Amino acid sequence: MHGGVKFYRGSASAARSYVEADRSRVDDYYLAEGTGVASRYVATAPPVAGGHDISAVQDGGTLDGDAYERWVAGYDIETGAAKGRLRTDERGLRFVEVVVNGPKTWSLAATLHPEVAAAYDAAQDRAAVEIIGWLAEHATTRVGPRDRQVQVPIEKLEAAVVRHYTSRAGDPHRHLHLQINARVFAKGAWRGLHSVGVVDSIEAINGIGHAAVMCDPEFRRALAVHGYTLDPDTGEVTQLAPYAGAFSARAAQIARNIDRYEAEWRGDHPGQEPGPALRRAWDRRAWSAARPDKVVPEDGTELRRRWVEELGELGFTPPASAANLAGTAIGQVNRDAATDLVLFRLGARRSSWNVADIRGEVERIVAALDIVAATSVRRELAEDLTDRTIEKCERLLDRGDVPEHVRALTSKPVLAVEADLITRLVARAEHAGAPDHVGRVVAGRRLDDAQREVVAALAGTHQLLVIEGAAGAGKTTTLAAARDLLAMQDRRLVVVTPTLKAARVAEQQVGTDAFSAAWLIHQHGYRWDEDGHWSRVDTRPEGRARLLPGDVLLVDEAGMLDQDTARALLTIADQSHARVAFVGDRHQLPAVGRGGVLDHAARWARPEACLALETVHRFTDPEYADLTLLMRGGQRPGDVFDALLERGQIAVHRTEVERLAALAEFTATGDLVIADTREQVSNLNATSRDHRLTTNPTGSAPASSGVVTTSAGEQVGVGDRIATRRNDRDLGVANRDTWTVTGTSADGSLTMRGRGGDRTLPAAYVRAHVELAYATTVHGAQGETVDQAHLLIGETTGAAAAYVGMTRGRHSNTAHLVAEDIDDARAQWIATFSRDRADLGPRHAAQVAADDIDRYGPQPPDPRGARAGIDRLTTRDLPRRPPQPLPPTSTSPNRTGEVSR
């Protein structure tokens, strides 16, 4: 299970439309089952001294359309009374939603076997109940005056569960939409749910949802009876995994066809909305276009039969015999080792965490151990491992009023790495240095004042330099000049970057040795794994990887460097007596994981060793260059939006399908198109490929000839623009290198051409590490310079991502937003530049945690004393008893009875 939390705001009357719009029309027309819109659950968690009691979750019956709307609006279903004072404006939060889902192969197995389908549905129901119960025990509401609010435990919450059988593309995808009502009961009254706490609990929600199904005995037995096993690491059905990508490709094509029809229709009918009959016609047309040799299914039985036929056509044959269901006995779990693994994994990804983050990682480990056990048994194991992990954590804040959702926990290794990093930076800064004497022209390159100052410093004697500059400030020219000057002094400029792709660009543009930071530290014996374990072995590095006294180790894009890698680089430089220069921009993208390296370097370096490249050279329009400097600092975002709108650099689209269609046309001209999430990039890539094939059919191979399907379901053929996503020196490819496909083979291999020449990729690499590259993420775009660029602005886009995306084009940069009108678009743009949650290390995380407590309120003082707030983080001493039965809360004849945790 994966995904985030969605907020539904607006009128209750529109909520049913929201549910139905998000449901595949295949569900509505082909697989309609029952008349209810949703199932309702009621969870109670009576307060006890120091925290929550164990929750009980009750089945509240089925909600029809009218009841569902009343529930969304905040009215009690039984009495009709309002749950406290209700907001009636369009911005009022009605519910928060998460999705309970699983790997595609689980739904494929359910399609093939009714017994598996029944067991899977039941397991998902139990998972939803467990998530609801966990939220009842951990969610809070805020009480008190606005400037002195505190967070208190909730005592009752309600949830609605909407079941879907297919994806929006119309292929098998059984999942539940779990909606938590924004009205909760606490302290004798109905109040508003503290929704930020739910967002901060997403790791636990996803972890519980995944493990609850994967470890479910009934579901696992149903799979085993039919010969299926699960991959412990991915959860995929081993026997079906090779076919999932190709199966999904067909359904995805149908969905994109429908989106294209809708975009064309909206272009011809501005201000109108398509009706059900028109959408149904699009469904049939899209199916016929994607599968012209097949008749459009008329009912659920026919559709399921087609799905089975589709798998058969792909070469799948169901297993002939039952599989062994062994699993791992809970008694075999090394609990101390498991808790250490949790801390290493969390520390590899972030500087601080909360209880929900720990519980989520614990559940993923339990599932990966292939535990098969009843819900209560698995939950007991997960709670014990969570408690043990909490006890091993370090507290970032020495106070007893920290709410559970605030990320104020860390580990000793995380603190030790940052402490050693700072110690090494301080030691370097203690040695005073001096710049070299440099003229305005170096090796034939004319430099401005700031560039000349940087070159002089790089050729001088400072042991620690920090060089910051805005996007397009002439860094390449500066570094090339510094390389030439250092070479005259018989010293090397060695550049390292966070990625191999960036290193190759630096090597080509600057003309000096450039490596990925990972390659250089690996040459010097550093080893690490995906779980965050670091070690060092004795090695003999290659000659080009060796640093000599006086050499300059220049870390480019230093803002993206994680602390573990930075520590290794500084250690190597210290042992080699090399000088170190950090080059980057703290306003651009931060590290993926524990970062803040450039911030620490800037804080501890000597003032005269902190330099800036201030003049922007990249853009052809000086006025736009000034606007980018305002974006860089997040200054006056409303004025910047107005200026961009007047310049024609803001594009507002009414719907997502219209935005996708417009951006697909820009990819056809070679413009750089940038999105914030991988899901958005995937949609853009597929839509752009469709656009290329439909608008230029003579310029490429037929869509159906020589097509290779990746494990993610993307189709790749001759003429497609692709990216390699894993470094492989033997194949001569780097992560995020882009290529054009020149040929495909029946075995799934392909040939391609790029800046580095021609390459051939084997089928295994193509399936796992190739993706379409008509669009890219912001991380993929950082460091690129093109003529025209387009940025997709969404609800998760942050200030750094927007700044990077809007500074890639020399001549033009355009932001694309989906909004009702210009005012809505302006509000979205301003909100974008208020989002900045970069992980800058544990010291910064402690300040963020304290700020969150000030913003959202502390938990109230505990009568047992200040230490009780910390003790409450563990549940070891709380009773672990079965939840007490509740009286039925619904008179619904078809859904009653208690579902307990």
Side-chain angles (χ1 to χ4, degrees):
M1 177 174 164
H2 61 88
V5 177
K6 295 182 179 179
F7 292 173
Y8 179 79
R9 305 178 188 273
S11 66
S13 60
R16 185 178 180 182
S17 298
Y18 163 84
V19 170
E20 293 176 346
D22 199 53
R23 169 185 285 160
S24 164
R25 287 185 291 279
V26 175
D27 265 349
D28 290 340
Y29 305 147
Y30 300 143
L31 298 178
E33 300 183 15
T35 57
V37 171
S39 299
R40 171 174 165 257
Y41 293 90
V42 181
T44 58
V48 297
H52 302 72
D53 198 356
I54 297 172
S55 68
V57 183
Q58 188 109 16
D59 187 328
T62 298
L63 299 174
D64 61 19
D66 293 338
Y68 176 75
E69 290 188 19
R70 291 197 303 274
W71 180 86
V72 171
Y75 291 92
D76 188 288
I77 295 301
E78 277 78 29
T79 66
K83 296 178 182 176
R85 186 174 59 186
L86 304 179
R87 289 185 60 174
T88 59
D89 59 284
E90 289 297 313
R91 300 302 301 164
L93 179 65
R94 305 305 179 189
F95 58 79
V96 295
E97 179 183 273
V98 296
V99 178
V100 181
N101 57 17
K104 171 70 70 177
T105 51
W106 294 2
S107 293
L108 292 178
T111 295
L112 291 163
H113 308 284
E115 301 86 356
V116 174
Y120 186 20
D121 289 348
Q124 283 192 326
D125 287 338
R126 287 188 284 272
V129 168
E130 191 172 352
I131 292 169
I132 294 167
W134 191 90
L135 285 171
E137 294 174 7
H138 296 268
T140 62
T141 184
R142 295 188 286 174
V143 300
R146 183 173 296 276
D147 58 342
R148 296 193 303 276
Q149 286 188 320
V150 296
Q151 296 189 39
V152 299
I154 67 168
E155 299 167 35
K156 181 178 180 180
L157 67 74
E158 295 190 12
V161 174
V162 182
R163 182 180 298 280
H164 290 175
Y165 297 90
T166 66
S167 70
R168 298 188 69 182
D171 63 335
H173 180 48
R174 303 175 99 87
H175 60 284
L176 305 177
H177 288 255
L178 174 55
Q179 301 167 351
I180 307 298
N181 198 286
R183 304 303 295 171
V184 295
F185 190 84
K187 294 289 184 180
W190 289 99
R191 306 175 186 274
L193 174 70
H194 180 44
S195 57
V196 171
V198 179
V199 173
D200 290 343
S201 300
I202 189 60
E203 294 296 332
I205 293 169
N206 285 340
I208 291 170
H210 176 69
V213 178
M214 186 163 174
C215 301
D216 186 86
E218 180 183 332
F219 177 53
R220 295 295 297 273
R221 278 195 295 270
L223 288 171
V225 165
H226 292 281
Y228 298 110
T229 57
L230 297 185
D231 182 317
D233 293 327
T234 64
E236 296 281 4
V237 177
T238 307
Q239 293 76 12
L240 284 164
Y243 307 95
F247 187 94
S248 298
R250 184 269 310 165
Q253 181 63 66
I254 293 174
R256 292 197 301 276
N257 288 345
I258 294 172
D259 287 346
R260 188 171 73 253
Y261 305 152
E262 181 176 348
E264 293 170 352
W265 184 89
R266 287 183 180 277
D268 295 335
H269 302 81
Q272 300 183 38
E273 290 296 320
L278 184 57
R279 291 188 178 277
R280 198 175 299 204
W282 290 341
D283 287 344
R284 295 179 177 278
R285 179 184 170 193
W287 180 285
S288 299
R291 295 301 305 270
D293 57 326
K294 301 291 184 181
V295 177
V296 178
E298 296 292 340
D299 55 38
T301 300
E302 173 66 14
L303 184 62
R304 282 189 290 267
R305 187 178 68 81
R306 290 292 173 80
W307 286 338
V308 174
E309 286 181 358
E310 185 89 14
L311 283 169
E313 292 171 1
L314 293 172
F316 173 73
T317 302
S321 58
N324 180 40
L325 180 59
T328 300
I330 288 181
Q332 294 179 313
V333 177
N334 184 329
R335 302 193 180 205
D336 288 335
T339 56
D340 288 341
L341 179 58
V342 172
L343 288 176
F344 274 114
R345 286 186 174 179
L346 290 173
R349 295 198 299 266
R350 51 173 41 124
S351 298
S352 63
W353 45 85
N354 58 24
V355 175
D357 296 328
I358 294 173
R359 179 62 180 270
E361 193 58 54
V362 163
E363 293 283 8
R364 280 186 283 274
I365 290 173
V366 168
L369 288 172
D370 204 22
I371 301 291
V372 181
T375 299
S376 59
V377 177
R378 190 207 89 254
R379 187 168 63 245
E380 174 72 25
L381 172 64
E383 289 176 347
D384 181 62
L385 293 177
T386 300
D387 291 348
R388 290 169 182 258
T389 305
I390 292 170
E391 291 177 354
K392 291 185 178 182
C393 288
E394 297 292 313
R395 273 72 180 175
L396 289 172
L397 300 176
D398 186 18
R399 51 192 289 184
D401 61 351
V402 180
E404 191 180 85
H405 74 90
V406 172
R407 291 186 166 93
L409 301 174
T410 189
S411 66
K412 289 181 179 178
V414 168
L415 294 173
V417 168
E418 183 168 79
D420 186 52
L421 186 68
I422 292 173
T423 298
R424 293 180 183 277
L425 291 171
V426 170
R428 286 182 165 272
E430 288 177 348
H431 299 283
D436 198 1
H437 297 287
V438 175
R440 293 191 175 276
V441 178
V442 175
R445 296 179 179 85
R446 180 166 294 277
L447 308 175
D448 64 29
D449 290 342
Q451 289 174 319
R452 185 163 58 92
E453 188 178 4
V454 169
V455 171
L458 287 170
T461 58
H462 285 294
Q463 295 300 302
L464 175 64
L465 287 168
V466 176
I467 303 163
E468 294 194 79
K475 178 182 67 177
T476 300
T477 299
T478 305
L479 296 186
R483 177 214 61 199
D484 290 341
L485 189 56
L486 286 166
M488 297 175 192
Q489 301 170 356
D490 199 24
R491 293 190 288 169
R492 292 171 68 210
L493 176 67
V494 179
V495 176
V496 294
T497 65
T499 67
L500 177 58
K501 177 185 176 182
R504 288 180 170 175
V505 173
E507 189 171 51
Q508 179 183 12
Q509 295 181 345
V510 179
T512 190
D513 288 331
F515 316 108
S516 70
W519 181 85
L520 185 66
I521 65 176
H522 190 274
Q523 283 287 309
H524 286 264
Y526 284 92
R527 301 292 184 266
W528 60 95
D529 61 26
E530 294 180 354
D531 293 328
H533 299 97
W534 280 71
S535 61
R536 193 176 187 186
V537 299
D538 290 332
T539 57
R540 189 175 183 83
E542 296 179 19
R544 58 186 182 144
R546 296 175 187 168
L547 298 173
L548 298 176
D551 287 348
V552 177
L553 177 63
L554 187 143
V555 184
D556 196 12
E557 302 288 2
M560 299 178 68
L561 196 67
D562 66 271
Q563 290 197 1
D564 290 301
T565 303
R567 181 197 196 187
L569 288 170
L570 282 173
T571 302
I572 294 167
D574 288 347
Q575 294 170 346
S576 305
H577 302 287
R579 299 166 59 226
V580 175
F582 290 100
V583 179
D585 184 356
R586 282 177 283 175
H587 298 284
Q588 297 193 42
L589 294 177
V592 179
R594 302 188 336 265
V597 174
L598 188 57
D599 296 77
H600 283 309
R603 177 182 180 185
W604 296 109
R606 302 178 75 88
E608 64 271 21
C610 293
L611 308 173
L613 294 171
E614 299 175 337
T615 304
V616 178
H617 298 274
R618 173 177 298 168
F619 309 108
T620 56
D621 183 346
E623 180 183 340
Y624 186 71
D626 292 340
L627 288 174
T628 66
L629 293 177
L630 292 175
M631 284 187 260
R632 181 173 183 251
Q635 301 169 289
R636 297 158 42 203
D639 292 341
V640 172
F641 177 89
D642 295 339
L644 292 175
L645 181 66
E646 185 177 352
R647 293 168 54 89
Q649 291 178 264
I650 295 289
V652 179
H653 308 273
R654 289 283 297 174
T655 64
E656 183 62 37
V657 294
E658 291 171 284
R659 177 164 68 174
L660 278 174
L663 289 172
E665 294 186 9
F666 290 117
T667 64
T669 63
D671 290 2
L672 178 64
V673 176
I674 308 165
D676 197 38
T677 68
R678 291 186 59 79
E679 181 181 4
Q680 291 169 335
V681 169
S682 179
N683 291 336
L684 278 166
N685 280 331
T687 303
S688 298
R689 182 176 191 270
D690 291 344
H691 182 271
R692 181 180 71 84
L693 294 175
T694 55
T695 58
N696 188 26
T698 61
S700 60
S704 59
S705 68
V707 171
V708 176
T709 302
T710 70
S711 59
E714 287 190 332
Q715 293 184 314
V716 175
V718 173
D720 277 324
R721 193 186 313 162
I722 63 171
T724 46
R725 290 311 313 274
R726 171 171 286 189
N727 296 335
D728 193 314
R729 291 183 180 273
D730 293 334
L731 296 175
V733 298
N735 182 27
R736 299 192 187 277
D737 275 349
T738 56
W739 313 80
T740 299
V741 178
T742 55
T744 60
S745 300
D747 64 357
S749 63
L750 58 80
T751 57
M752 59 189 189
R753 179 167 297 156
R755 293 176 182 174
D758 294 335
R759 299 286 190 276
T760 299
L761 297 180
Y765 185 98
V766 173
R767 283 194 301 272
H769 308 302
V770 164
E771 64 185 23
L772 294 171
Y774 294 97
T776 184
T777 61
V778 181
H779 278 87
Q782 180 152 328
E784 294 280 352
T785 301
V786 297
D787 288 338
Q788 285 89 24
H790 301 265
L791 173 66
L792 184 154
I793 297 282
E795 60 185 10
T796 61
T797 309
Y803 171 58
V804 170
M806 291 297 288
T807 54
R808 298 305 95 194
R810 299 182 189 90
H811 307 307
S812 174
N813 296 274
T814 305
H816 295 258
L817 302 94
V818 174
E820 295 180 0
D821 50 37
I822 296 299
D823 290 340
D824 182 20
R826 191 175 191 270
Q828 289 185 42
W829 176 269
I830 293 173
T832 294
F833 282 89
S834 69
R835 286 192 285 265
D836 182 13
R837 300 286 285 183
D839 186 334
L840 302 179
R843 295 192 180 201
H844 178 260
Q847 183 59 54
V848 170
D851 292 344
D852 283 347
I853 296 173
D854 291 341
R855 182 180 301 111
Y856 303 120
Q859 67 182 20
D862 195 285
R864 297 176 298 166
R867 180 68 192 175
I870 293 178
D871 292 340
R872 190 190 315 190
L873 290 172
T874 69
T875 59
R876 184 178 301 282
D877 297 327
L878 295 180
R880 289 203 180 137
R881 54 174 175 75
Q884 297 300 305
L886 294 177
T889 60
S890 172
T891 57
S892 173
N894 57 341
R895 301 247 353 201
T896 59
E898 185 236 9
V899 183
S900 64
R901 260 183 106 244

